[in-house]
Structures are given as C-alpha cells and as structure tokens.
Amino acid sequence: MKCWICGADADTGEHRIKQSDLKSVFGHISPDHPLYLCNAHRRNMRVNGLKANALKLKARICGKCNNQLTSSYDYAWEDLSRYLRSRNRALKHNERIGLHKVFKGTVKRSMVCVHLYFVKLLGCHIAEHGMPIDLGPFSQALLHGTAHPLVYLAFCTPLDTEHKSVGYSDIDVIKRYGRIIAASWIYHLDHFSVRVMYAEPGERRQGLIDSWHPSMVTKRIRIASI
C-alpha cells in the first residue's frame, strides 16, 4: 500500500481520535483498564491499549509523513485541544475563544497547523472509503504547509454533556449530478466537538455559516452549535 500523501510505501496508521485526546479523557489504558469501542458494525469492542489497530484509520501513510512532515500539525492540535479541555466545562454556543491565550505570538501559523491536522484526518477518511474527492490538493497542502482552500472547521458545543465519551460521526456527503460537492464529519471530545467540512467553490451549505478557515483574519473563534 502506498502513502496517499507522498506516494512512498505506507507502514503506519493514523488514529481516528488523537492518542493524546484519548489519554486525556480516559487516562492510562491497559488490559486491566480497557476502552470499549462502539460503531455501526460492533458494540463494546474491548480495546486494551491506545496503539490498537481498532483505533486507527485503515488508510495508511508512511512513517516520514506521520512522524516528521505532519508532527507540527499534531502538536498544534494538541495545544488547542489541551487548552479547550483545561476549562473543565463544555463550550457554549456563541462563546468566543481568544487564540492568543493558546498560541502566544504564533496564532496565524499555529492555526494553519490545526487546520492541517484535520486536513490529514479528512484525507485519511477519503482514502479509506475510496470517496471520489481529489486527494491531490490535500497532499499538496500537507507537503507544503499551506491551507487547503476547500476545508473548513467549526468548533462546536459537545454532542453529549452527560457522559464521558469521545468519538466521530460518519461522513455525510452531498452530491450533485453524481459528484460530491460537500462532505462533513464530526470529531467529538468530552467538552466540545469539531465539525470538519469540505465544500467546493460557490457552495453555501448551512455548515459553513459558523465555520472557520485560515484565510480569515481573526485571533478569536466563535463557538457554533453542533
């Protein structure tokens, strides 16, 4: 199998939910303290460690892309995720988060990296499902550290405020004349969710109203409803 980012031999798998996010919510995972994974195909699948294949996407990428090329994207998301989780309360609709508190002096570049972390995840989902969306712009964005012009993020209120949980939705797609013109999915953590959306130029989808893109000049993000 080839890495969909650079074309080299692929030998690593990307976590569906970042390992640091899983650890922050559930703590140390072991055979004595397992996780239980539920999806459309299986319920209560026992997971004995955070490196289990069950927690990873099936689309593979090479070690260089996973461990070197995209590491700054991973670290930026870890920083923002840690800050949002440190508040110990769920985000509220229309709340505004000052990014200068997270990325002192590096807001613009660091938020491009956050954006690229989710570009990587969305690209892995597209590759896994063989979706007819061109992965070329995804690859180029990751290789050159530049924003994907058609991928947007919305930082949202949580899916579930009563239970300790993490998860992700299926990818919803919108087609026109047999072609995918928009796709979105949700990355959920205990206190908040992130809606990741691909939309072709000219699309005015409801999900874009509260979405953010690195081309927007702002040092604050407004929390959307899920």
Side-chain angles (χ1 to χ4, degrees):
M1 184 179 294
K2 298 297 183 180
C3 173
W4 68 264
I5 298 174
C6 72
D9 290 337
D11 53 5
T12 68
E14 181 72 17
H15 279 75
R16 295 177 184 273
I17 299 292
K18 189 154 183 56
Q19 189 170 330
S20 58
D21 284 335
L22 290 168
K23 189 174 182 178
S24 72
V25 175
F26 298 113
H28 179 66
I29 306 304
S30 68
D32 293 329
H33 298 90
L35 290 178
Y36 290 92
L37 178 65
C38 298
N39 56 35
H41 307 289
R42 292 185 61 179
R43 296 190 63 82
N44 296 322
M45 182 193 311
R46 187 184 178 101
V47 177
N48 293 328
L50 291 178
K51 295 185 178 181
N53 285 333
L55 299 175
K56 298 178 181 179
L57 287 147
K58 293 179 181 177
R60 310 288 282 182
I61 57 180
C62 71
K64 184 176 181 180
C65 284
N66 203 5
N67 301 319
Q68 298 176 38
L69 175 71
T70 65
S71 61
S72 60
Y73 313 154
D74 296 352
Y75 293 147
W77 169 244
E78 284 183 21
D79 289 342
L80 181 56
S81 176
R82 185 185 305 113
Y83 175 79
L84 295 176
R85 285 185 280 99
S86 70
R87 298 152 34 94
N88 292 319
R89 63 182 177 86
L91 297 177
K92 301 297 183 183
H93 182 220
N94 282 330
E95 183 176 357
R96 294 182 183 273
I97 305 296
L99 298 171
H100 64 281
K101 298 177 181 178
V102 190
F103 306 115
K104 293 179 172 58
T106 64
V107 170
K108 184 176 181 179
R109 179 59 202 161
S110 294
M111 286 302 290
V112 169
C113 289
V114 169
H115 165 87
L116 289 170
Y117 170 71
F118 286 102
V119 167
K120 177 173 66 166
L121 275 190
L122 181 55
C124 285
H125 279 288
I126 291 169
E128 178 178 285
H129 296 288
M131 299 172 65
I133 295 176
D134 184 5
L135 281 172
F138 286 78
S139 171
Q140 290 302 304
L142 295 169
L143 289 170
H144 298 291
T146 55
H148 190 304
L150 307 182
V151 174
Y152 302 81
L153 306 180
F155 300 89
C156 304
T157 53
L159 288 170
D160 183 352
T161 58
E162 297 183 3
H163 304 94
K164 181 183 288 189
S165 65
V166 301
Y168 51 89
S169 71
D170 291 332
I171 298 182
D172 291 325
V173 300
I174 299 171
K175 293 183 177 181
R176 183 179 295 151
Y177 306 119
R179 184 167 57 87
I180 293 177
I181 59 171
S184 65
W185 62 280
I186 294 170
Y187 180 106
H188 167 68
L189 295 177
D190 240 10
H191 296 315
F192 63 93
S193 301
V194 182
R195 184 173 64 238
V196 185
M197 188 167 190
Y198 166 88
E200 291 198 348
E203 290 302 312
R204 298 182 179 274
R205 315 312 315 180
Q206 182 71 24
L208 291 175
I209 293 175
D210 293 320
S211 293
W212 168 87
H213 186 271
S215 61
M216 300 175 182
V217 180
T218 180
K219 292 188 177 182
R220 291 178 177 268
I221 51 175
R222 185 166 68 88
I223 304 306
S225 61
I226 198 66

